[in-house]
């Protein structure tokens, strides 16, 4: 991809590799974003850092210095979450891994050393794989307040292929007690959606009065897609009503839940296929998605700040975008890029496209999708134009 095709409203690193976003938090009058980062290289490796960016509006991000780096204790610093207490105190929870055995990590905490959240100090290990439970993977803590206490979820999987979200609770964010399996599903369950052998980045949050569990589906050392269930939180257990698929195509993964400054539930995702190795950067994040429920179905739409910045697509571009051909037929959207083809269901509602340079996001009634397109010569679709484009088809 050419340098002129760097997206404007999808966060990309100044240089180096990024993947999972996490810890989007409103603090000190702006949003803080943290993310997996490898300075100086454009391919994934286990020696991950935590990057940091800030924004006034969830749309335009300014990258700051790395806040956590590997050391003699942490071979790699993998995904986690950030919470802010009612008093304004911040706390990080991250996965610390050994480079030679990265699938099984531990959860460590960190605190900010300054009000700007530009400097953080590492603290003790607060959670580790429970004794007596055989695990093939353990990582990605997500911390929330469930209305009664602080609760931590950690993604995991067993050697027999059962995906898990394990749970700890705490009264103060300092002392944590393991309370068991929050939710699980065997890889043999495929109806109505397969949810893999390991759940990465489990996210638990409320939309209205319902609880939603979003997981990133992982199996055989491959990232697949995101799935979710709407249900209830009963005595520390998540009781799903139905499992569904959330994301399609080669883009979205590792969704990170947060609440914007107006109280709206949101998700932010890693976009896997956006890369410019010639100019030394790789990885992007989606725009923020605002969530709502239609029965037991989770609906995602571009955050209102995106809608305010968007302009209509020129006529005809809803069918062809760069190298991508789109066809909507029989309630199924098909996308073809070179020799690759994938589909997503679109029953019961319109499809919304968001085009931002090399990045295309699709919002439909049954999920979201994203893909990257190569360099284009059409000036109406370049990132040099006044704004990102959005339309319905």
């Amino acid at each position: 991809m050419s340098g002129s095709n760097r997206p404007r409203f999808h966060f990309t690193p100044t240089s180096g590799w990024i993947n999972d976003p996490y810890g989007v938090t409103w603090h000190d009058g702006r949003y803080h974003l943290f993310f997996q980062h490898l300075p100086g290289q454009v391919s994934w490796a286990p020696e991950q850092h935590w990057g940091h960016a800030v924004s006034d509006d969830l749309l335009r991000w300014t990258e700051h210095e790395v806040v956590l780096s590997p050391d003699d204790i942490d071979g790699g610093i993998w995904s986690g979450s950030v919470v802010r207490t009612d008093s304004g105190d911040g706390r990080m929870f991250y996965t610390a891994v050994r480079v030679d055995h990265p699938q099984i990590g531990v959860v460590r905490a960190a605190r900010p050393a300054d009000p700007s959240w530009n400097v953080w100090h590492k603290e003790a290990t607060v959670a580790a794989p429970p004794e007596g439970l055989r695990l093939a993977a353990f990582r990605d803590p997500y911390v929330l307040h469930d209305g009664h206490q602080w609760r931590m979820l950690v993604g995991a999987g067993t050697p027999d292929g059962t995906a898990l979200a394990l749970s700890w609770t705490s009264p103060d964010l300092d002392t944590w007690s393991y309370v068991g399996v929050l939710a699980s599903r065997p890889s043999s369950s495929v109806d109505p959606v397969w949810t893999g052998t390991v759940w990465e980045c489990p996210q638990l949050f409320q939309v209205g009065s319902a609880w939603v569990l979003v997981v990133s589906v992982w199996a055989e050392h491959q990232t697949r897609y995101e799935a979710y269930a709407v249900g209830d939180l009963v005595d520390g257990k998540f009781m799903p009503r139905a499992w569904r698929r959330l994301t399609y195509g080669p883009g979205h993964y590792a969704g990170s839940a947060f609440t914007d400054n107006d109280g709206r539930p949101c998700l932010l995702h890693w976009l896997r296929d956006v890369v410019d190795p010639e100019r030394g950067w790789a990885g992007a994040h989606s725009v923020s998605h605002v969530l709502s429920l239609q029965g037991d179905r989770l609906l995602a739409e571009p955050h209102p700040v995106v809608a305010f910045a968007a302009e209509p697509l020129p006529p005809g571009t809803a069918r062809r975008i760069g190298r991508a051909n789109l066809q909507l037929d029989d309630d199924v959207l098909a996308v073809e890029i070179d020799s690759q083809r994938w589909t997503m269901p679109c029953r019961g509602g319109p499809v919304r496209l968001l085009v931002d340079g090399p990045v295309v996001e699709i919002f439909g009634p049954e999920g979201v999708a994203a893909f990257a397109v190569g360099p284009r010569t059409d000036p109406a679709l370049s990132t040099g134009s006044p704004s990102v484009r959005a339309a319905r088809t």
Side-chain angles (χ1 to χ4, degrees), residues 114-137:
D114 66 327
S116 69
W117 284 13
N118 287 324
V119 178
W120 293 73
H121 291 322
K122 296 178 181 178
E123 295 188 329
T125 296
V126 297
E131 294 184 8
L133 185 61
R134 292 187 62 219
L135 296 176

mmCIF file of all heavy atoms in Angstrom, residues 114-137:
data_model
loop_
_atom_site.group_PDB
_atom_site.id
_atom_site.type_symbol
_atom_site.label_atom_id
_atom_site.label_comp_id
_atom_site.label_asym_id
_atom_site.label_seq_id
_atom_site.Cartn_x
_atom_site.Cartn_y
_atom_site.Cartn_z
ATOM 1 N N ASP A 114 1.866 9.249 36.887
ATOM 2 C CA ASP A 114 1.579 10.661 36.669
ATOM 3 C C ASP A 114 0.138 10.804 36.190
ATOM 4 O O ASP A 114 -0.445 9.869 35.660
ATOM 5 C CB ASP A 114 2.558 11.260 35.651
ATOM 6 C CG ASP A 114 2.383 10.654 34.268
ATOM 7 O OD1 ASP A 114 2.035 9.458 34.167
ATOM 8 O OD2 ASP A 114 2.565 11.379 33.285
ATOM 9 N N PRO A 115 -0.479 11.980 36.362
ATOM 10 C CA PRO A 115 -1.873 12.157 35.959
ATOM 11 C C PRO A 115 -2.111 12.016 34.461
ATOM 12 O O PRO A 115 -3.238 11.757 34.030
ATOM 13 C CB PRO A 115 -2.194 13.586 36.431
ATOM 14 C CG PRO A 115 -1.198 13.886 37.502
ATOM 15 C CD PRO A 115 0.038 13.153 37.101
ATOM 16 N N SER A 116 -1.066 12.183 33.658
ATOM 17 C CA SER A 116 -1.224 12.070 32.203
ATOM 18 C C SER A 116 -1.318 10.629 31.722
ATOM 19 O O SER A 116 -1.645 10.383 30.570
ATOM 20 C CB SER A 116 -0.052 12.753 31.498
ATOM 21 O OG SER A 116 1.147 12.013 31.706
ATOM 22 N N TRP A 117 -1.020 9.683 32.592
ATOM 23 C CA TRP A 117 -0.997 8.256 32.266
ATOM 24 C C TRP A 117 0.075 7.928 31.222
ATOM 25 O O TRP A 117 -0.001 6.912 30.537
ATOM 26 C CB TRP A 117 -2.369 7.771 31.787
ATOM 27 C CG TRP A 117 -3.366 7.602 32.888
ATOM 28 C CD1 TRP A 117 -3.278 8.045 34.160
ATOM 29 C CD2 TRP A 117 -4.632 6.925 32.809
ATOM 30 N NE1 TRP A 117 -4.385 7.693 34.892
ATOM 31 C CE2 TRP A 117 -5.240 7.013 34.084
ATOM 32 C CE3 TRP A 117 -5.310 6.264 31.792
ATOM 33 C CZ2 TRP A 117 -6.489 6.452 34.354
ATOM 34 C CZ3 TRP A 117 -6.550 5.709 32.052
ATOM 35 C CH2 TRP A 117 -7.134 5.807 33.332
ATOM 36 N N ASN A 118 1.098 8.752 31.146
ATOM 37 C CA ASN A 118 2.186 8.479 30.207
ATOM 38 C C ASN A 118 3.253 7.572 30.788
ATOM 39 O O ASN A 118 4.061 7.013 30.037
ATOM 40 C CB ASN A 118 2.840 9.793 29.762
ATOM 41 C CG ASN A 118 1.957 10.574 28.816
ATOM 42 O OD1 ASN A 118 1.258 10.000 27.994
ATOM 43 N ND2 ASN A 118 1.992 11.897 28.928
ATOM 44 N N VAL A 119 3.285 7.421 32.110
ATOM 45 C CA VAL A 119 4.275 6.572 32.778
ATOM 46 C C VAL A 119 3.533 5.655 33.739
ATOM 47 O O VAL A 119 2.707 6.121 34.535
ATOM 48 C CB VAL A 119 5.321 7.408 33.536
ATOM 49 C CG1 VAL A 119 6.305 6.494 34.258
ATOM 50 C CG2 VAL A 119 6.061 8.343 32.572
ATOM 51 N N TRP A 120 3.841 4.361 33.684
ATOM 52 C CA TRP A 120 3.208 3.364 34.558
ATOM 53 C C TRP A 120 4.288 2.520 35.221
ATOM 54 O O TRP A 120 5.334 2.241 34.625
ATOM 55 C CB TRP A 120 2.276 2.469 33.746
ATOM 56 C CG TRP A 120 1.073 3.182 33.199
ATOM 57 C CD1 TRP A 120 1.050 4.081 32.172
ATOM 58 C CD2 TRP A 120 -0.278 3.046 33.648
ATOM 59 N NE1 TRP A 120 -0.231 4.516 31.951
ATOM 60 C CE2 TRP A 120 -1.064 3.904 32.837
ATOM 61 C CE3 TRP A 120 -0.898 2.291 34.636
ATOM 62 C CZ2 TRP A 120 -2.443 4.021 33.001
ATOM 63 C CZ3 TRP A 120 -2.270 2.403 34.800
ATOM 64 C CH2 TRP A 120 -3.038 3.261 33.997
ATOM 65 N N HIS A 121 3.987 2.103 36.449
ATOM 66 C CA HIS A 121 4.902 1.240 37.188
ATOM 67 C C HIS A 121 4.267 -0.136 37.367
ATOM 68 O O HIS A 121 3.121 -0.260 37.803
ATOM 69 C CB HIS A 121 5.219 1.836 38.566
ATOM 70 C CG HIS A 121 6.038 3.085 38.509
ATOM 71 N ND1 HIS A 121 7.054 3.274 37.602
ATOM 72 C CD2 HIS A 121 5.990 4.224 39.256
ATOM 73 C CE1 HIS A 121 7.596 4.462 37.782
ATOM 74 N NE2 HIS A 121 6.967 5.062 38.773
ATOM 75 N N LYS A 122 5.042 -1.160 37.047
ATOM 76 C CA LYS A 122 4.563 -2.534 37.199
ATOM 77 C C LYS A 122 4.458 -2.913 38.670
ATOM 78 O O LYS A 122 5.253 -2.461 39.501
ATOM 79 C CB LYS A 122 5.513 -3.501 36.499
ATOM 80 C CG LYS A 122 5.592 -3.328 34.997
ATOM 81 C CD LYS A 122 6.599 -4.300 34.398
ATOM 82 C CE LYS A 122 6.725 -4.131 32.905
ATOM 83 N NZ LYS A 122 7.739 -5.051 32.330
ATOM 84 N N GLU A 123 3.462 -3.763 38.962
ATOM 85 C CA GLU A 123 3.273 -4.256 40.320
ATOM 86 C C GLU A 123 3.284 -5.779 40.314
ATOM 87 O O GLU A 123 3.821 -6.404 39.413
ATOM 88 C CB GLU A 123 1.971 -3.691 40.901
ATOM 89 C CG GLU A 123 2.005 -2.177 41.064
ATOM 90 C CD GLU A 123 0.806 -1.634 41.803
ATOM 91 O OE1 GLU A 123 -0.296 -2.234 41.687
ATOM 92 O OE2 GLU A 123 0.952 -0.621 42.503
ATOM 93 N N ALA A 124 2.648 -6.367 41.308
ATOM 94 C CA ALA A 124 2.747 -7.808 41.527
ATOM 95 C C ALA A 124 1.839 -8.594 40.584
ATOM 96 O O ALA A 124 0.932 -8.064 39.939
ATOM 97 C CB ALA A 124 2.368 -8.126 42.973
ATOM 98 N N THR A 125 2.069 -9.899 40.542
ATOM 99 C CA THR A 125 1.159 -10.831 39.882
ATOM 100 C C THR A 125 -0.117 -10.943 40.713
ATOM 101 O O THR A 125 -0.060 -11.113 41.931
ATOM 102 C CB THR A 125 1.813 -12.215 39.747
ATOM 103 O OG1 THR A 125 2.963 -12.105 38.888
ATOM 104 C CG2 THR A 125 0.846 -13.228 39.164
ATOM 105 N N VAL A 126 -1.269 -10.840 40.054
ATOM 106 C CA VAL A 126 -2.539 -10.884 40.778
ATOM 107 C C VAL A 126 -3.369 -12.115 40.433
ATOM 108 O O VAL A 126 -4.328 -12.429 41.147
ATOM 109 C CB VAL A 126 -3.373 -9.610 40.525
ATOM 110 C CG1 VAL A 126 -2.642 -8.388 41.061
ATOM 111 C CG2 VAL A 126 -3.701 -9.441 39.043
ATOM 112 N N ALA A 127 -3.040 -12.818 39.351
ATOM 113 C CA ALA A 127 -3.781 -14.036 39.001
ATOM 114 C C ALA A 127 -2.891 -14.932 38.156
ATOM 115 O O ALA A 127 -2.076 -14.461 37.359
ATOM 116 C CB ALA A 127 -5.067 -13.697 38.240
ATOM 117 N N ALA A 128 -3.056 -16.238 38.345
ATOM 118 C CA ALA A 128 -2.300 -17.245 37.617
ATOM 119 C C ALA A 128 -3.231 -18.425 37.337
ATOM 120 O O ALA A 128 -4.331 -18.502 37.907
ATOM 121 C CB ALA A 128 -1.081 -17.689 38.432
ATOM 122 N N PRO A 129 -2.843 -19.350 36.472
ATOM 123 C CA PRO A 129 -3.709 -20.505 36.228
ATOM 124 C C PRO A 129 -4.081 -21.215 37.521
ATOM 125 O O PRO A 129 -3.216 -21.502 38.355
ATOM 126 C CB PRO A 129 -2.842 -21.393 35.333
ATOM 127 C CG PRO A 129 -1.950 -20.438 34.613
ATOM 128 C CD PRO A 129 -1.650 -19.367 35.617
ATOM 129 N N PRO A 130 -5.375 -21.476 37.741
ATOM 130 C CA PRO A 130 -5.796 -22.125 38.995
ATOM 131 C C PRO A 130 -5.208 -23.521 39.142
ATOM 132 O O PRO A 130 -5.070 -24.259 38.156
ATOM 133 C CB PRO A 130 -7.330 -22.183 38.855
ATOM 134 C CG PRO A 130 -7.670 -21.169 37.816
ATOM 135 C CD PRO A 130 -6.513 -21.139 36.874
ATOM 136 N N GLU A 131 -4.872 -23.867 40.363
ATOM 137 C CA GLU A 131 -4.353 -25.213 40.630
ATOM 138 C C GLU A 131 -5.427 -26.262 40.338
ATOM 139 O O GLU A 131 -6.609 -26.063 40.605
ATOM 140 C CB GLU A 131 -3.909 -25.325 42.087
ATOM 141 C CG GLU A 131 -2.710 -24.453 42.433
ATOM 142 C CD GLU A 131 -2.246 -24.669 43.861
ATOM 143 O OE1 GLU A 131 -2.780 -25.605 44.511
ATOM 144 O OE2 GLU A 131 -1.365 -23.919 44.331
ATOM 145 N N GLY A 132 -4.994 -27.347 39.766
ATOM 146 C CA GLY A 132 -5.909 -28.450 39.486
ATOM 147 C C GLY A 132 -6.663 -28.331 38.173
ATOM 148 O O GLY A 132 -7.431 -29.242 37.826
ATOM 149 N N LEU A 133 -6.462 -27.251 37.440
ATOM 150 C CA LEU A 133 -7.148 -27.065 36.162
ATOM 151 C C LEU A 133 -6.113 -27.119 35.042
ATOM 152 O O LEU A 133 -5.242 -26.261 34.934
ATOM 153 C CB LEU A 133 -7.879 -25.723 36.142
ATOM 154 C CG LEU A 133 -8.750 -25.411 34.930
ATOM 155 C CD1 LEU A 133 -9.874 -26.435 34.784
ATOM 156 C CD2 LEU A 133 -9.336 -24.010 35.040
ATOM 157 N N ARG A 134 -6.193 -28.174 34.209
ATOM 158 C CA ARG A 134 -5.249 -28.314 33.101
ATOM 159 C C ARG A 134 -5.640 -27.354 31.986
ATOM 160 O O ARG A 134 -6.764 -27.369 31.492
ATOM 161 C CB ARG A 134 -5.239 -29.746 32.572
ATOM 162 C CG ARG A 134 -4.672 -30.779 33.533
ATOM 163 C CD ARG A 134 -4.553 -32.127 32.848
ATOM 164 N NE ARG A 134 -3.627 -32.082 31.712
ATOM 165 C CZ ARG A 134 -3.822 -32.713 30.559
ATOM 166 N NH1 ARG A 134 -4.940 -33.412 30.369
ATOM 167 N NH2 ARG A 134 -2.942 -32.635 29.577
ATOM 168 N N LEU A 135 -4.682 -26.522 31.570
ATOM 169 C CA LEU A 135 -4.955 -25.509 30.567
ATOM 170 C C LEU A 135 -3.932 -25.568 29.445
ATOM 171 O O LEU A 135 -2.752 -25.838 29.660
ATOM 172 C CB LEU A 135 -4.926 -24.111 31.188
ATOM 173 C CG LEU A 135 -5.988 -23.803 32.255
ATOM 174 C CD1 LEU A 135 -5.751 -22.415 32.841
ATOM 175 C CD2 LEU A 135 -7.388 -23.905 31.664
ATOM 176 N N ALA A 136 -4.413 -25.278 28.230
ATOM 177 C CA ALA A 136 -3.535 -25.155 27.072
ATOM 178 C C ALA A 136 -3.229 -23.698 26.763
ATOM 179 O O ALA A 136 -2.303 -23.400 25.997
ATOM 180 C CB ALA A 136 -4.190 -25.816 25.856
ATOM 181 N N ALA A 137 -4.028 -22.774 27.330
ATOM 182 C CA ALA A 137 -3.813 -21.340 27.123
ATOM 183 C C ALA A 137 -4.415 -20.583 28.298
ATOM 184 O O ALA A 137 -5.413 -21.009 28.887
ATOM 185 C CB ALA A 137 -4.452 -20.881 25.815
#
